[in-house]
Amino acid sequence: QFLAFCFCSVYISSATSEPEIISTQHEIITYLNHTAKFSCLIKNRNQKHVTWSRVNFINDTQKLANLLYVDQLKYTPFNRYHLSHSIDSNKNEEHWDLEIRQVHLADQGYYSCVLTAIKPISKIFYLKVIGKITNQIETQTLVILFSFR
């Protein structure tokens, strides 16, 4: 017969912690025809779905959202939109990064990252595009001939 004692410490995982979006980015500024990158950093996702949408505010209480991605499933037909996903398991954080390549002036506006839950958590980003549309006007050089008598 022998008696064993165990002095053990128990680690309780933070997986039961509430999910949150901890991105600090609010406004993204890019040049026309460059790439814009939105970073949605999520802590304790706990298997909730992540969506990316283009948001148009109709008034103070209504908005129209055009769905771009649900998790890694693409809902937009535009090839300029790309999503990357990475996990930092040590910190229980996930990066859900949306890229818009070859940015157009029409891309300027609001985008949202939403973590679905009983009470959804969202982060709104604003994309500002710097550039201008130039009219392709052919310039002509006028040659004036002076005649001296």
Side-chain angles (χ1 to χ4, degrees):
Q1 278 185 345
F2 73 91
L3 187 57
F5 291 96
C6 175
F7 296 99
C8 305
S9 63
V10 177
Y11 173 75
I12 299 173
S13 171
S14 64
T16 59
S17 298
E18 289 297 313
E20 59 182 322
I21 297 175
I22 57 176
S23 299
T24 58
Q25 188 180 36
H26 299 287
E27 183 177 51
I28 294 87
I29 301 172
T30 192
Y31 290 98
L32 189 64
N33 295 319
H34 283 73
T35 298
K37 184 175 181 180
F38 305 84
S39 295
C40 190
L41 180 58
I42 299 172
K43 189 164 186 74
N44 304 318
R45 187 178 79 133
N46 301 335
Q47 302 301 315
K48 306 288 190 239
H49 293 288
V50 177
T51 65
W52 273 103
S53 299
R54 170 73 193 266
V55 179
N56 295 303
F57 289 95
I58 298 168
N59 56 40
D60 291 341
T61 59
Q62 293 180 318
K63 65 181 178 180
L64 177 64
N66 297 314
L67 190 61
L68 302 173
Y69 282 90
V70 174
D71 296 328
Q72 294 186 38
L73 183 60
K74 189 174 187 178
Y75 280 82
T76 180
F78 301 115
N79 291 330
R80 299 180 305 111
Y81 290 86
H82 298 273
L83 183 75
S84 62
H85 175 236
S86 61
I87 300 172
D88 183 345
S89 55
N90 293 331
K91 295 181 179 180
N92 200 15
E93 294 177 354
E94 296 185 31
H95 292 263
W96 292 82
D97 300 333
L98 176 69
E99 279 188 0
I100 306 173
R101 298 177 183 163
Q102 295 295 311
V103 169
H104 301 165
L105 286 175
D107 294 324
Q108 182 166 293
Y110 295 94
Y111 294 81
S112 70
C113 171
V114 177
L115 184 61
T116 62
I118 292 172
K119 184 178 180 184
I121 303 163
S122 65
K123 172 74 176 175
I124 301 288
F125 301 87
Y126 182 75
L127 174 62
K128 181 176 182 176
V129 180
I130 298 174
K132 59 182 178 181
I133 297 175
T134 57
N135 293 332
Q136 304 259 339
I137 299 173
E138 290 184 32
T139 59
Q140 298 177 355
T141 305
L142 298 176
V143 178
I144 302 172
L145 299 174
F146 293 96
S147 62
F148 295 97
R149 293 185 185 209

